């Protein structure tokens, strides 16, 4: 049995980490969040210590490290994006391996900094890249690998996940903290595309705004027109008023259906990490490089055939 600490216990994704720890038979020793709306702990790990001040959490964690039976093995991080880097570094320096949500950090330079802290501490950082464990994604990857080597697939990726006014008032609506909509809601798609279609060859941005972004990516095995949005007005007419989310991935005329099968992916990710097969800094670098370019690139008018069909009608 391994002992875990959790940073960001009040976050949306934190319960999936708590359940993964419990379902795999491990122990959540201590959790931390500046917010105290963490009643979910009662149904998953009611014995866990909890702190709302990082200094008290950190001191308690250091005390746990003195005794072999209570010593922490892992720190899981579900805090806001801009805090990932300092929280990862703190977990490594505590003497723990770290499991962090994506985006790991915003820039390749911070990836390099974390690699130095890994070397200094002898501990490792693991990123949750759960789509790499989804059955539909794995089957598509096998299909692409089996296709003739000169085959390049045409992909259209559309993801609209409606968010209310609260979003822009939260840290997620502050680009200094979330690093923008493409990074915050898109990073796992860019990792998925790299995982399936290989190295990125071209990265062009056709639109960027506070609520949506679009562009063109070309990989070794695919040409991708992509569109991401949190604006309900972008939902296709056929789903408006019926659904708040629209996700569509078209691959050379075939639809990739992966709406189901997400429930246990965090548990699978944890199982792989604990078995020594987790995804580390090198695995996460490609998608961090991709979002860093998207965030800093100059918006250009797209070439014919490279522009997502939703782009011409954008007003953001």
């Amino acid at each position: 049995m391994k002992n875990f600490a959790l940073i960001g216990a009040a976050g949306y994704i934190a319960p999936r980490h708590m359940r993964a720890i419990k379902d795999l038979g491990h122990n959540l020793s201590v959790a931390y969040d500046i917010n105290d709306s963490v009643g979910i702990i009662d149904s998953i790990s009611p014995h866990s210590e909890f702190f709302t001040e990082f200094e008290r959490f950190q001191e308690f964690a250091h005390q746990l490290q003195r005794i072999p039976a209570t010593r922490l093995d892992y720190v899981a991080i579900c805090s806001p994006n801009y805090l990932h880097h300092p929280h990862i570094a703190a977990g490594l320096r505590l003497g723990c391996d770290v499991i962090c949500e994506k985006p790991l950090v915003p820039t390749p330079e911070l990836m390099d900094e974390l690699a130095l802290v890994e070397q200094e501490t002898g501990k490792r950082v693991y990123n949750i890249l759960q789509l790499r464990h989804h059955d539909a994604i794995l089957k598509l990857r096998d299909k692409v690998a089996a296709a003739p080597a000169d085959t390049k697939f045409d992909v259209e990726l559309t993801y609209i996940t409606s968010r209310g006014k609260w979003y822009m008032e939260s840290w997620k609506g502050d680009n200094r903290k979330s690093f923008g909509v493409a990074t915050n809601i898109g990073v796992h798609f860019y990792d998925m595309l790299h995982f399936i279609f290989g190295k990125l060859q071209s990265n062009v941005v056709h639109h960027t705004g506070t609520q949506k972004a679009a562009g063109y990516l070309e990989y070794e095995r695919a040409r991708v027109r992509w569109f991401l949005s949190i604006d309900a007005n972008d939902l296709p007419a056929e789903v408006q008023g019926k659904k708040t989310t629209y996700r569509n991935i078209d691959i050379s005329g075939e639809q990739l259906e992966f709406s189901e099968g997400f429930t246990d992916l965090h548990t699978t990710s944890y199982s792989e990490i604990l078995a020594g097969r987790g995804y580390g800094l090198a695995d996460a670098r490609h998608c961090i490089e991709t979002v860093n370019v998207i965030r800093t690139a100059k918006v250009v008018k797209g070439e014919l055939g490279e522009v997502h069909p939703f782009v011409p009608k954008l007003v953001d």
Side-chain angles (χ1 to χ4, degrees):
M1 185 178 71
K2 303 295 184 181
N3 292 319
F4 285 78
L6 176 64
I7 296 175
Y12 163 78
I13 206 67
R16 297 190 192 181
H17 289 255
M18 296 180 196
R19 292 191 181 99
I21 293 166
K22 178 182 178 180
D23 291 348
L24 293 172
H26 301 290
N27 174 49
L28 178 59
S29 301
V30 57
Y32 157 74
D33 202 293
I34 59 172
N35 299 306
D36 58 10
S37 298
V38 292
I40 188 69
I41 293 178
D42 289 344
S43 63
I44 301 174
S45 184
H47 65 277
S48 302
E49 297 289 340
F50 175 73
F51 298 94
T52 57
E53 290 121 358
F54 188 77
E55 295 83 358
R56 293 179 63 218
F57 160 79
Q58 193 171 42
E59 175 58 23
F60 181 80
H62 278 287
Q63 291 176 17
L64 292 178
Q65 301 305 74
R66 293 174 178 162
I67 304 170
T70 63
R71 186 173 181 85
L72 295 170
D73 300 289
Y74 291 89
V75 175
I77 296 174
C78 306
S79 53
N81 299 351
Y82 73 107
L83 294 174
H84 285 179
H85 176 258
H87 286 160
I88 292 170
L92 293 172
R93 291 179 176 127
L94 186 62
C96 300
D97 290 325
V98 173
I99 301 171
C100 186
E101 272 296 336
K102 57 199 167 303
L104 202 60
V105 288
T107 67
E109 289 76 19
L110 284 177
M111 297 280 286
D112 296 336
E113 174 62 26
L114 289 179
L116 289 176
V117 183
E118 279 191 330
Q119 293 175 17
E120 292 166 356
T121 60
K123 296 299 179 178
R124 286 202 62 192
V125 181
Y126 298 98
N127 199 193
I128 295 290
L129 301 173
Q130 75 269 34
L131 288 184
R132 295 189 181 204
H133 300 300
H134 196 290
D135 284 344
I137 303 300
L138 291 170
K139 288 177 182 177
L140 176 58
R141 189 175 190 238
D142 290 341
K143 178 181 177 180
V144 170
D150 60 349
T151 303
K152 204 160 225 185
F153 295 83
D154 288 303
V155 179
E156 187 175 289
L157 166 64
T158 310
Y159 181 54
I160 304 165
T161 177
S162 307
R163 295 291 184 262
K165 294 180 180 179
W166 69 269
Y167 187 96
M168 299 308 297
E169 292 296 321
S170 75
W171 65 266
K172 295 180 180 182
D174 185 340
N175 284 355
R176 297 169 301 174
K177 296 180 178 180
S178 69
F179 312 119
V181 67
T183 300
N184 194 48
I185 72 168
V187 67
H188 58 295
F189 287 117
Y190 304 127
D191 177 69
M192 176 195 75
L193 291 168
H194 161 59
F195 183 65
I196 296 171
F197 298 112
K199 293 182 180 179
L200 184 61
Q201 298 174 329
S202 178
N203 188 347
V204 180
V205 178
H206 297 147
H207 179 88
T208 185
T210 57
Q211 295 184 298
K212 60 201 77 174
Y216 174 78
L217 299 163
E218 186 159 346
Y219 294 87
E220 291 175 291
R221 305 296 305 274
R223 294 176 288 264
V224 183
R225 300 181 295 174
W226 62 270
F227 178 84
L228 305 172
S229 174
I230 59 168
D231 185 355
N233 293 316
D234 292 322
L235 290 167
E238 63 269 21
V239 301
Q240 285 195 8
K242 301 174 183 177
K243 296 180 180 180
T244 59
T245 297
Y246 177 78
R247 175 171 47 212
N248 182 65
I249 301 178
D250 182 288
I251 301 145
S252 295
E254 294 186 16
Q255 302 296 310
L256 172 62
E257 177 51 53
F258 66 114
S259 298
E260 304 298 327
F262 282 91
T263 307
D264 299 320
L265 291 184
H266 274 73
T267 300
T268 302
S269 296
Y270 266 68
S271 179
E272 291 294 296
I273 290 167
L274 290 163
R277 297 186 295 267
Y279 292 114
L281 293 179
D283 301 294
R285 179 174 287 274
H286 194 281
C287 63
I288 297 304
E289 292 174 342
T290 302
V291 295
N292 185 58
V293 170
I294 290 171
R295 195 170 52 250
T296 57
K298 180 180 178 181
V299 174
V300 299
K301 185 177 181 180
E303 299 292 331
L304 185 66
E306 295 181 359
V307 179
H308 191 283
F310 283 23
V311 171
K313 56 187 177 182
L314 291 180
V315 295
D316 182 353

